[in-house]
Amino acid sequence: MPTVVVMDVSLSMTRPVSVEGSEEYQRKHLAVHGLTMLFEHMATNYKLEFTALVVFSSLWELMVPFTRDYNTLQEALSNMDDYDKTCLESALLGVCNIVQQEWGAAIPCQVVLVTDGCLGIGRGSLRHSLATHNQRSESNRFPLPFPFPSKLYVMCMANLEELQSTDSLDCLERLIDLNNGEGQIFTIDGPLCLKNVQSMFGKLIDLAYTPFHAVLKCGHLTSDVQVFPRPEPFIIDEEIDPIPKAINTDLEIVGFVDIADISSPPVLSRHLVLPIALNREGDEVGPGITDDTEDENSANQIAGKIPNFCVLLHGSLKVEGMVAVVQLGPEWYGMLYSQADSKKKSNLMMSLFEPGPEPLPWLGKMAQLGPISDAKENPYGEDDNKSPFPLQPKNKRSYAQNVTVWIKPSGLQTDVQKILRNARKLPEKTQTFYKELNRLRKAALAFGFLELLKGVADMLERECTLLPDTAHPDAAFQLTHAAQQLKVASTGASEYAAYDQNIAPLQTDFSSSSTERM
Amino acid sequence: MKIFSESHKTVFVVDHCPYMAESCRQHVEFDMLVKNRTQGIIPLAPISKSLWTCSVESSMEYCRIMYDIFPFKKLVNFIVSDSGAHVLNSWTQEDQNLQELMAALAAVGPPNPRADPECCSILHGLVAAVEALCKITEYQHEARTMLIENAERVGNRGRIICITNAKRTFLSSDSHVRMLEDCVQETIHEHNKLAANSDHLMQIQKCELVLIHTYPVGEDSLVSDRPKKELSPVLTSEVHSVRAGRHLATKLNVLVQQHFDLASTTITNIPMKEEQHANTSANYDVELLHHKEAHVDFLKSGDNHVGGNSREGTFKETVTLKWCTPRTNSVELHYCTGAYRISPVDVNSRPSSCLTNFLLNGRSVLLEQPRKSGSKVISHMLSSHGGEIFLHVLSSSRSILEDPPSISEGCGGRVTDYRITDFGEFMRENRLTPFLEPRYKMDGSLEIPLERAKDQLEKHTRYWPMIISQTTIFNMQAVVPLASVIVKEAMTDEDVLNCQKTIYNLVDMERKNDPLPISTVGTRGKGPKRDEQYRIMWNELETLVRAHINNSDKHQRVLECLMACRSKPPEEEERKKRGRKREDKEDKSEKLGKDYESDKPWQESERLKGLLDREKEELAEAEVIKDSPDSPEPPNKKPLITMDEMPTVEKAKGPMSLLSLWSNRINTANSRKHQEFIGRLNSVNNKAELYQHLKEENGMETTENGKTGRQ
């Protein structure tokens, strides 16, 4: 989940904060202090997160495009100038554009808005934006809700009392509401000082930037892992089951399936599964981009030499072209597989299926998947040349069952032509002739289109008269028979127009009698 | 997302009154004369469909699309109305398919134009429709049973699509419509009262009434269109006035898209062999319908390729995607964010059936977004799974996981001797397969196949070393017959026999002194001696078998055989005994716990694994222990093996460092340059006993001291 930090650099952010016994602080400094803490946390514990920095006043500017280089972000914090007034709407619009350009509309993003709770005045102020919210057309839509899945965290360099004294808090709350309730407002507890800013950002870190640790299990083989990005809780049905479901911290492998069988399934999200070595204090030593501290390097080297189940699993999945099916919670599953980023680098990746008993129709119900050793004979065949997947649905779809649709005249004409073509090749095509004839008959009966039956009967009678002298005598018999059967069906009388009853070919025997006739 | 929205239940009410037998006055030429046929034949007169036929085939088309895209959880109840209501099917899933409906419609047949119009009415059907909406579906029932105390969360909404002709009612259009609406409103009110006191019925929370007035082409409509309007909190109603024939079909096609949130994609540039000239091919387009989520990227970014709106269904909104001819059949795991069932708009047309047949034969097709700029963006994929075609949405935006650290850089990444092939074999043995028939356990309870799969993984991993240098037995072909069956839940007598054979075979190998594939990684010199190798191997095999002895008596028999066959030369026996004594002192507590653990074989196996490791260490120590001061009695004097030249001080402390190797060498070299001390020459295993005269008086103490010194 990429992060966009949106920093208010309007003049009001330069308001001084009285901090006893030290040099004068501005709210801006508190904000920088908090963000520094956030960036430091991410640089050590959340290294793979992409973060961008946007500053805004009445205009907005992308200071740092999405990066994992937290030094650059840190530097940018110290290079911010002070500008004019706060104009949130344009900044949020800017965030929309930046995120969509970089990630499209499907990837969830976290937006961290850092402001002092002075929301501007006049046109472009949040108050003004909200007041005009209902009078907007599609072209000047308010940027919230964001067009991508998002969380909006508002970090206020002000305490609750201060915000409540104006309508700032109400406005900010409406902002979160407009984002479909996705987000949260943080305020400073107690007096404005570095310590309280730290604790506020600490809460944000706890909420949104703590690494997700889990244990990957395959029977007795286990590995401690970090799952990145953090899997988000999911709401299955807002009405029946409105409580968001989170995944287990025990990721239990239940079995394996070939890549061809799992067949590019739809997934909610993808995550890296990075093995970690937990030391005594519970801190992790492990994944991430190479760090310069030597301590960590040597620790990494030691961890690198201890056999790890993830590496084994990854290697075998890659070689065999398989995925491991993993249970994430009650009726929630996912898959583990090897994902190659380039030719050299590959990784263990986990994708989450949509929660539910049957996330992939072609695998069937997950609970009904069992070990092949329980089957009477190996469903994959002795030579591994077949597969029990995909499961066939009970009913075929319309495109797989030759349905009859006569909405366009061409549909009807094609079906009549088919009968006619076969009629001219009687008796060789007797089977197909009757097959097509019965298909037409069934549809005509269902649609109550009896006139068609009569029409086709007339047509077949005419064909009979047009038969060339060289025609086989059976042709005339079959045509007459078919025409007559259609005629009686066209009366709609129940004894002739039964849907399940087919017109059967007339039983003739020309092989024995033909010589006599000659 | 709501399962029980209005589209969960759709009731079709189609008018079957005599006036529906009237012609739609749209002619169909069915007798198309083929070229090069005898001239002079007058084609048969064109025929025309009745209002009834038009209504039925349009509603069937609605159902066809709906069933294709939502084969489950979206249900249709079909009712025809004349002198009474005829309910053609139920909400059960078995009734939900075109064949059932077609058969039922055939049984009803076309309306009888000579029936008495006075006793026929669409109202019968509308009343029956409300009744049907109150009936609980199996999905609603299931959800209610599951939620128990929250059962009220299960909604009951539905839609009534009523196709009728208002011509013969002698009422003005507005009052006719109002009469139908009032009827539905009142019936809902009544039935909701009934449902309140019933377990099998549910109150209707929301009902959408879609009234479609259809009339012959060329006539003037008596009814005017009216957009959706809320009549009461429970009922909304809309009115459509449509000419029969293809206009009605188009209308229902638009409605099915609205009702089920569908969108249209046109696949363009499909190369197809010409019917007439098989060696040439032309490019065709095929339009598909699917859930609109498949266009989520276009919808949100406002990046529609085709503008226009679908208000009248005349100008259709469709997203055009370009066919990319598949080059290989290679299986790839694409990052797919959604997969949606499709339905071709024109199912029987040649281009449609060519496309669907191609896909049903197992090929996948990538679809490309036509972009003005040159870059090629693959955004979708068409693929069939078990006879169903899905439109997969592929992620085409930048990945947030790009440039991740390689697995070789992380934990365990530097280890190079993982048993990759063996684990691959393990995975293949632990593949999954569907068990559709319910199975029962011995106690009669339902067996969940997935739990069986987990069980099997548990059994198969009780003893599973991850790297080659951690194991001996799994590197030996000779052990395979035993290792492959011992993990089974139940063994046959033949399996036991095979295990025994394997063990005898190993005994044989030991007798012949065959080499074992013991890893020398991390051990000094040439590694352990042959007999020690066998000891390691037997110990490991014992660990494996012990991990499974509680599976069955047969497993126990294998262990018995193993224990009986393990050759233990007296010397080793003794060494072991001493080793055990030492161990006694080291971890008494662990020993005590042993008996209690025996019902948990896997824990045991863990413990045994530990034991095994320790024994490996002991190996190095064994020789030393023999003569070290803590030995209670010196063993029978035997010539010392390899030790005599080496200073053993370092040795007693486990693995040898490079430093000690180096100093050993230097010492040996130096020793040649000077005369050896008398004491060292007379020493036993490089240890000279000092103050030998004291031994008489104080011998016991010395040994005691030695022992404490070691610990």
Side-chain angles (χ1 to χ4, degrees), chain B residues 42-61:
Chain B
I42 304 151
L44 294 168
I47 49 177
S48 70
K49 299 171 184 171
S50 64
L51 292 181
W52 165 257
T53 299
C54 294
S55 308
V56 166
E57 72 177 1
S58 306
S59 26
M60 282 297 107
E61 180 68 359

Side-chain angles (χ1 to χ4, degrees), chain B residues 195-228:
Chain B
N197 303 314
S198 165
D199 282 344
H200 311 291
L201 301 175
M202 283 177 87
Q203 291 193 318
I204 300 171
Q205 294 165 341
K206 202 103 203 169
C207 175
E208 247 181 62
L209 179 62
V210 182
L211 288 170
I212 301 171
H213 162 68
T214 187
Y215 55 96
V217 176
E219 272 184 24
D220 289 331
S221 171
L222 297 170
V223 178
S224 44
D225 276 15
R226 202 193 62 205
K228 197 193 273 187

